[in-house]
Amino acid sequence: MAKHAFTRELRLLTPAHFKNVFDNPVRAASPHITLLAKPNELGHPRLGLAVPKKALKRAVWRNRVKRVSREAFRLKQHDLPHVDIVVIAKKGIGDVPNDELFELLDRLWRTLSRRCNDSA
């Protein structure tokens, strides 16, 4: 049975990890959220979150988006290619309910997987 955890090795931790993803990434975007990805050699996907104050003023709102993004990644990690992913929140994401955010992320994970497999 697949393990559905979100451990330390599944996270982008350093600025260097994030910078690597920002250099020539594969993109999947919607009006509320953008996913950037770049292949890694680790054998599993990793997630980084960028939820700026400019997009969501209150910490509670930013934390909700991060929590939902982590949970969506945790459940979908075994279907994703071996890539480093950065989730970037945009203005207006605070108005999206959790269930719609889950569906949006699910659609973007699939798009990203398809694009990463095409570029490989």
Side-chain angles (χ1 to χ4, degrees), residues 85-105:
I85 301 168
V86 175
V87 175
I88 303 172
K90 298 181 191 174
K91 267 195 188 312
I93 194 167
D95 301 330
V96 179
N98 287 356
D99 56 340
E100 288 180 30
L101 189 52
F102 263 107
E103 290 173 22
L104 175 62
L105 284 165

Side-chain angles (χ1 to χ4, degrees), residues 12 17-29 33-39 46-48 50 83-88 90 108-109 112 116:
L12 295 177
H17 294 159
F18 279 85
K19 185 175 181 338
N20 180 43
V21 177
F22 286 120
D23 294 337
N24 196 20
V26 174
R27 294 176 183 268
I33 204 161
T34 299
L35 300 183
L36 305 176
K38 195 152 188 194
R46 294 191 301 176
L47 178 71
V83 293
D84 291 340
I85 301 168
V86 175
V87 175
I88 303 172
K90 298 181 191 174
L108 291 173
W109 299 137
L112 201 59
C116 286

Side-chain angles (χ1 to χ4, degrees), residues 7 11 13 20 22 28 32 51 57 64-65 67 77 85-86 114 119:
T7 57
R11 294 182 288 177
L13 298 171
N20 180 43
F22 286 120
H32 302 295
V51 184
K57 296 291 183 212
R64 179 186 71 89
V65 170
R67 188 173 50 251
Q77 65 184 317
I85 301 168
V86 175
R114 196 169 49 250
S119 68

Side-chain angles (χ1 to χ4, degrees), residues 3-13 45-49 66-67 69-75 77-78 85 109:
K3 186 176 165 190
H4 292 289
F6 187 65
T7 57
R8 187 173 175 86
E9 64 258 4
L10 294 175
R11 294 182 288 177
L12 295 177
L13 298 171
R46 294 191 301 176
L47 178 71
L49 300 167
K66 290 189 276 189
R67 188 173 50 251
S69 299
R70 280 193 301 265
E71 182 66 7
F73 175 81
R74 186 183 73 80
L75 295 172
Q77 65 184 317
H78 300 292
I85 301 168
W109 299 137

